Amino acid sequence: MSDSVRIDKWLWAARFFKTRSLAADAVESGKVRWNDERAKPARILKIGDLLHIDNGATVWEVEVRGLSDKRGSAAVAQTLYLETPASGARRQAEAEQRKLFHEPTSHLKGRPTKRDRRLLDQSRS
């Protein structure tokens, strides 16, 4: 554990992004907000900072509880932050919504095969 960590390294170590460059790109494009402000990837985090993170799949609001610039196990990564109750409730509601409504093409990877195309056409008519 370090006493000062760049925000992009912390996001990578806390497993919000697969690579540090993805984390840096998200911070640069404004998908990560630090204490309700835009930040640069080199922003130094402190314990107690609030982050609003949109990693593409989900939106998180977390409070920084620990600092690390090394990517460890998922169990260690979860000790680095505490999700706000509102964020947890919102993510649960979104998960329930996804269970109830299945996107018709979510199981398709890439371009549909000839068989997949026939099934899609059949379901539309």
Side-chain angles (χ1 to χ4, degrees):
M1 300 264 181
S2 304
D3 49 342
S4 65
V5 178
R6 291 171 49 120
I7 192 169
D8 58 343
K9 281 188 179 183
W10 186 88
L11 289 166
W12 169 72
R15 295 181 168 257
F16 287 104
F17 297 94
K18 278 189 171 186
T19 64
R20 186 169 157 210
S21 62
L22 285 176
D25 291 343
V27 174
E28 195 68 40
S29 66
K31 293 183 179 177
V32 176
R33 299 188 61 82
W34 168 82
N35 293 335
D36 289 328
E37 297 177 14
R38 266 185 97 142
K40 292 186 177 181
R43 163 67 68 185
I44 300 297
L45 282 183
K46 292 180 253 169
I47 293 177
D49 286 342
L50 293 173
L51 298 176
H52 180 85
I53 305 162
D54 180 3
N55 67 358
T58 54
V59 177
W60 299 74
E61 289 179 14
V62 298
E63 179 184 350
V64 177
R65 291 294 179 133
L67 299 175
S68 177
D69 60 353
K70 304 237 186 299
R71 190 171 171 108
S73 68
V76 171
Q78 288 178 344
T79 63
L80 298 178
Y81 61 89
L82 177 67
E83 186 175 13
T84 62
S87 174
R90 186 175 55 248
R91 283 191 325 105
Q92 285 285 13
E94 289 172 0
E96 288 296 320
Q97 188 68 21
R98 279 194 302 271
K99 281 184 188 177
L100 296 174
F101 175 74
H102 294 288
E103 181 65 35
T105 58
S106 64
H107 68 282
L108 296 176
K109 301 290 184 219
R111 202 169 164 190
T113 62
K114 190 172 185 177
R115 181 175 182 269
D116 293 336
R117 172 58 59 199
R118 280 194 210 119
L119 290 172
L120 283 170
D121 289 341
Q122 196 175 37
S123 68
R124 287 184 186 146
S125 54

